[in-house]
Amino acid sequence: MKRFLVFILTAISCIMMSQVLLAQDVDKKAVLEQADAAKKVKDDLIKLPTDSLKPWKFTGVIGLNASAAGFVNWAAGGKNNVNGIAFANLRLLYAKNRLAWDTNLDTDFGYSFLDQAEDPWQKTNDKIVFTTKFGYEGPSSGM
C-alpha cells in the first residue's frame, strides 16, 4: 500500500511539473496590439446607425436523425428495427425601438419500423411546442 501511495504521489508531481515546464510565455506586445484592434472594432460598431439594421431575424435548425439495429442469433427480447426522427427548431425575432416579439417553434416527429408481423410501423415521437412573447420597454425612470 505504501509503494502504491508513493507511486501516485510521484505521478501527480510529474504531471504538475510538466505543466510548469510547458507553460507558454505571454508576448505583452502582441496582447496590447490585439486589445487595441478590438477596441477599434468596438468603436466602429458603436458608430453604426441602428435604423439600418433589420428588425426581423430568423434562425433555426432542421434535421433528420436515423438509426438501425440488427440482431442475429439473438435471445428472446431483441427485434430488428429502423428508426427515424425529423425535427425543426425555428425562431423568429422582431426587435425595433422599444418593441420585441419572440416566436419559437419546436417540433419532433418520429417513426420506427420493427421486424414483427403485427403493427410493424410505430410512431415514436410527436411534439409541437409553439411559444410567442411580445414585449414593450417603457421609458426608463431616472432613479
Side-chain angles (χ1 to χ4, degrees), residues 3-24:
R3 286 186 180 185
F4 180 72
L5 184 60
V6 170
F7 173 75
I8 294 296
L9 291 175
T10 305
I12 291 172
S13 298
C14 290
I15 291 171
M16 291 175 61
M17 290 300 289
S18 67
Q19 295 299 319
V20 171
L21 295 174
L22 298 175
Q24 297 177 355

Side-chain angles (χ1 to χ4, degrees), residues 90-129:
L90 307 173
R91 181 178 186 202
L92 181 62
L93 175 65
Y94 175 84
K96 188 171 182 181
N97 299 332
R98 295 178 177 215
L99 296 176
W101 186 13
D102 188 7
T103 304
N104 294 297
L105 178 64
D106 185 13
T107 63
D108 279 353
F109 186 74
Y111 254 95
S112 179
F113 176 78
L114 299 171
D115 188 15
Q116 62 187 16
E118 184 178 324
D119 195 22
W121 290 96
Q122 297 179 3
K123 183 170 57 171
T124 57
N125 285 35
D126 188 10
K127 175 176 80 168
I128 298 175
V129 178

Side-chain angles (χ1 to χ4, degrees), residues 51-91:
D51 295 339
S52 68
L53 300 176
K54 295 181 181 180
W56 289 98
K57 293 180 185 169
F58 179 74
T59 58
V61 175
I62 296 174
L64 178 67
N65 292 333
S67 65
F71 301 100
V72 178
N73 293 329
W74 186 254
K79 294 182 181 173
N80 299 335
N81 62 65
V82 177
N83 304 305
I85 298 174
F87 66 91
N89 300 324
L90 307 173
R91 181 178 186 202

